[in-house]
Each structure stands twice: as C-alpha cells, then as structure tokens.
Amino acid sequence: EVQMVQSGAEVKKPGESLSISCQGSGYSANYWITWVRQMPGKGLEWMGRIDPSDSYINYSPSFQGHVTISADKSTTTAYLQWSSLKASDTAMYYCARLGHCSSTSCYMDYWGQGTLVTVSS
Amino acid sequence: EIALTQSPDTLSLSPGEGATLSCRAGQSVTNNYLAWYQQKPGLAPRLLIYGASSRAAGIPDRFSGSGSGTDFILTISRLEPEDSAVYYCQQYGTLRDTFGQGTKLEIK
C-alpha cells in the first residue's frame, strides 16, 4: 500500500527555523515528491517538486528563495524547510507523490495527511 | 505559468442531480495534462481524474472528465451527499504546475 506520511503539527514563533518531512512507502520505483500549500480557508498552491533519487528540484517562482526543498534518497523522504518563519507562513502543507508522465511534472496520485504550521508570536 | 479559472465558484444541487464543473486554461494545456481533485473539509485532496478523462483507481464511474486544449469539464452524475466537497483542477503540462481556485459543491 502506497503511503505518504508527514510529520506532526508545529507551532513556531516568527524568525524561527523549521523543517517538516514527508516519507513515502509501499512503492519501489523512483517517483518525484511535490509540496502544496493551503492557507486557512484558501485554495491549493504548488510550491515545488523534488526527485529523491538525485535531489533535482523545481521551485514555483512564488516560493523560490523562501523555502528549501530537499530529500533523503535512502529513506524516500522529502523535506520542506524555512530558515526564518513569518506569520504569513501559517498554513497546511501537503506533500504528494507524482505519477509517471512524459512531462516535467505529473498528477498527484497519493497525498500525505498534511502538516499544520502555525507561526505566531 | 498557465492560469486556470474554475466556474462556478459555488454550486448547490440536490441528491440525484448531475453536476457540471468547468476549468478554463489561459493557454492550451500540453497533452491535455489536466487533473481533478476532490477535497473534503479537514482532509487532504484526492485524485479523481488525470489526463483530462482517465479515472484514478477506485473512483466511481459517476465521475467523468472531458475536454481538451483550454476547456475542461468534470461531470458528476447521480449526486450523493458524500460528494459535498471543493473540487480543484490542476495542469501539469509545464514546468510550473498550477491549480484552479476551486469550485465548492454543496448537496442540499
């Protein structure tokens, strides 16, 4: 069974750093992992994607420079990191596995349960 | 970056009726690489349709996708109360994925 399991909810203060994780299991081939933000009461926003096999990354221009995406090939785990959080980073963050397409991207076939990040002084 | 506009913003229908949700792209979607997702309150999105018209595993045949180029449709037949959710389209034919703003479907 394919599963994407994310780390737990976080409460942080502005200026603090944070790393959240997403571990894929139940599949053997190389699949990209993507991150999606959902601010409170809002829609889905694509942040970026990573190939865990070689850590090749594509960022959305809206998020490049604000977050860092990384991966650990040995554990099929992707990470989303902030060096200095802002209140506006408060959101639910989802990871998802990308299917295989003849394209630079693909549909998101399995999703993590989400990690709620709250940034407040 | 391809902008996706969904309509209507909200749809209120009765059980047993059919729903038609629209997704319009600002430019042609490469290879019709368009997906639809369902998101219920408090839950992660779920893939319904990919490649504009292929149903994902385990999705009932009441859900169907159609369209090409810039205009895409998600049709849900014989609505059930459990279909209440927000539905998003996504294009994945370019380096930058984009989502539509979502259509909220209410089953009254």
Side-chain angles (χ1 to χ4, degrees), chain A:
Chain A
E1 178 193 10
V2 175
Q3 286 190 307
M4 308 299 289
V5 178
Q6 297 185 229
S7 51
E10 302 274 3
V11 179
K12 291 288 189 179
K13 291 180 166 48
E16 291 186 330
S17 63
L18 175 64
S19 177
I20 62 176
S21 66
C22 166
Q23 183 169 26
S25 63
Y27 57 94
S28 57
N30 290 329
Y31 289 83
W32 289 60
I33 295 175
T34 195
W35 288 97
V36 174
R37 183 176 78 174
Q38 188 167 40
M39 299 180 77
K42 301 299 184 182
L44 305 174
E45 300 174 89
W46 176 70
M47 302 178 71
R49 69 178 80 87
I50 187 167
D51 180 350
S53 67
D54 61 8
S55 291
Y56 185 79
I57 305 167
N58 297 134
Y59 285 102
S60 162
S62 300
F63 291 92
Q64 184 148 25
H66 299 288
V67 297
T68 301
I69 295 172
S70 61
D72 180 341
K73 173 184 177 181
S74 65
T75 59
T76 323
T77 300
Y79 300 92
L80 183 63
Q81 300 163 286
W82 294 261
S83 59
S84 180
L85 286 160
K86 303 175 183 178
S88 57
D89 292 317
T90 294
M92 182 71 81
Y93 293 88
Y94 293 102
C95 69
R97 191 189 81 163
L98 298 186
H100 283 156
C101 298
S102 55
S103 170
T104 52
S105 185
C106 200
Y107 50 85
M108 303 170 190
D109 57 1
Y110 291 92
W111 292 67
Q113 80 277 21
T115 296
L116 180 62
V117 174
T118 303
V119 184
S120 174
S121 54

